[in-house]
Amino acid sequence: MNNEIRILIEKYLEFILASKNLSENTCKSYENDLLEYVKFFKNKNILDLHKNRIELYLKYLSENFSVRTHCRKISSVKNFYKFLCEKKFLKLNIFSNIDFPRTTKSIPKVLTKGEILELIKISYEDKTFKGLRLSLMIELLYATGIRVSEMVSLKISDITQGCSEIIITSKGNKERVLPLLSHVQKSLV
């Protein structure tokens, strides 16, 4: 790979890590997408590509990846070119008019209220520490609607004094405070 391109990719990754508050995994995915993009064009200078070459790449994506992956890869490259134009490394963003493929949204499968209550009831049958912990986690998920990833990253310090509220840190390090129902408060104590 051309050393100039490698340096530009590194600058872009530093920029998004610092300014977009993205996770390390997201940045790694962007890096992999960009390296794959560069590799696709072999020894061609990606700063000097024409629309017909881009169409070959888009065709490759549509034939080899799911729509969601295809969209992420386009997003990675599109944002990279946007960065290059903003920082004056390029005059024209050849990806500015590229559209994303249509995605279909699937409705998530959810448990009924009865199934959840049965799950909670069964979880309380296990009186060990792990069983009680599982019961509390199920109660927290059901009572607050938090994501599993948010729940497993909770710390004791995220529970307010008196166990009346929890502080949830969401994607992008955004915090929100959620009240806890009395039966969840009792489970915490």
Side-chain angles (χ1 to χ4, degrees), residues 1 4-5 9 16 25-26 41-42 55 62 67-69 83-84 94 103 109 112 117 119-120 124 130 146 155 176 186:
M1 173 191 329
E4 176 191 12
I5 300 300
I9 289 174
I16 62 172
N25 285 343
T26 302
F41 292 109
K42 298 182 176 81
E55 288 171 359
S62 67
V67 174
R68 286 182 70 185
T69 304
F83 166 81
L84 293 176
I94 59 174
T103 59
K109 294 179 178 140
T112 66
L117 295 175
L119 184 63
I120 292 170
Y124 275 108
K130 285 185 178 182
I146 62 175
K155 297 180 273 315
R176 63 188 196 278
K186 289 175 190 170

Side-chain angles (χ1 to χ4, degrees), residues 35-148:
L35 293 176
E36 181 183 336
Y37 174 72
V38 170
K39 187 177 175 184
F40 178 82
F41 292 109
K42 298 182 176 81
N43 293 324
K44 305 269 189 290
N45 183 353
I46 64 163
L47 301 178
D48 196 28
L49 291 176
H50 297 286
K51 189 176 180 186
N52 60 340
R53 303 292 293 162
I54 301 302
E55 288 171 359
L56 289 173
Y57 178 69
L58 297 175
K59 184 177 182 206
Y60 161 76
L61 291 178
S62 67
E63 291 173 352
N64 293 286
F65 298 98
S66 70
V67 174
R68 286 182 70 185
T69 304
H70 183 166
C71 286
R72 190 201 70 231
K73 289 178 181 293
I74 290 175
S75 177
S76 299
V77 176
K78 203 171 186 172
N79 285 320
F80 176 61
Y81 275 95
K82 183 179 176 186
F83 166 81
L84 293 176
C85 288
E86 287 173 357
K87 300 296 181 189
K88 309 284 189 238
F89 293 109
L90 273 180
K91 289 182 182 169
L92 177 67
N93 183 349
I94 59 174
F95 266 84
S96 62
N97 293 325
I98 302 295
D99 292 323
F100 293 96
R102 300 259 183 242
T103 59
T104 56
K105 301 241 179 194
S106 60
I107 298 171
K109 294 179 178 140
V110 294
L111 298 173
T112 66
K113 182 178 180 180
E115 290 171 326
I116 293 169
L117 295 175
E118 182 67 19
L119 184 63
I120 292 170
K121 184 178 134 196
I122 291 170
S123 73
Y124 275 108
E125 291 174 4
D126 184 352
K127 302 291 184 199
T128 65
F129 172 77
K130 285 185 178 182
L132 293 174
R133 183 183 64 185
L134 175 64
S135 300
L136 178 60
M137 289 191 304
I138 294 169
E139 291 255 11
L140 267 175
L141 288 170
Y142 181 56
T144 62
I146 62 175
R147 295 176 181 94
V148 172

Side-chain angles (χ1 to χ4, degrees), residues 118-185:
E118 182 67 19
L119 184 63
I120 292 170
K121 184 178 134 196
I122 291 170
S123 73
Y124 275 108
E125 291 174 4
D126 184 352
K127 302 291 184 199
T128 65
F129 172 77
K130 285 185 178 182
L132 293 174
R133 183 183 64 185
L134 175 64
S135 300
L136 178 60
M137 289 191 304
I138 294 169
E139 291 255 11
L140 267 175
L141 288 170
Y142 181 56
T144 62
I146 62 175
R147 295 176 181 94
V148 172
S149 60
E150 293 169 338
M151 183 195 52
V152 298
S153 65
L154 282 174
K155 297 180 273 315
I156 291 175
S157 60
D158 293 332
I159 302 168
T160 61
Q161 218 170 11
C163 299
S164 61
E165 298 172 327
I166 55 172
I167 301 166
I168 304 297
T169 305
S170 306
K171 292 179 179 178
N173 285 333
K174 294 177 187 139
E175 286 187 354
R176 63 188 196 278
V177 178
L178 299 176
L180 291 176
L181 300 173
S182 59
H183 66 277
V184 176
Q185 290 178 26

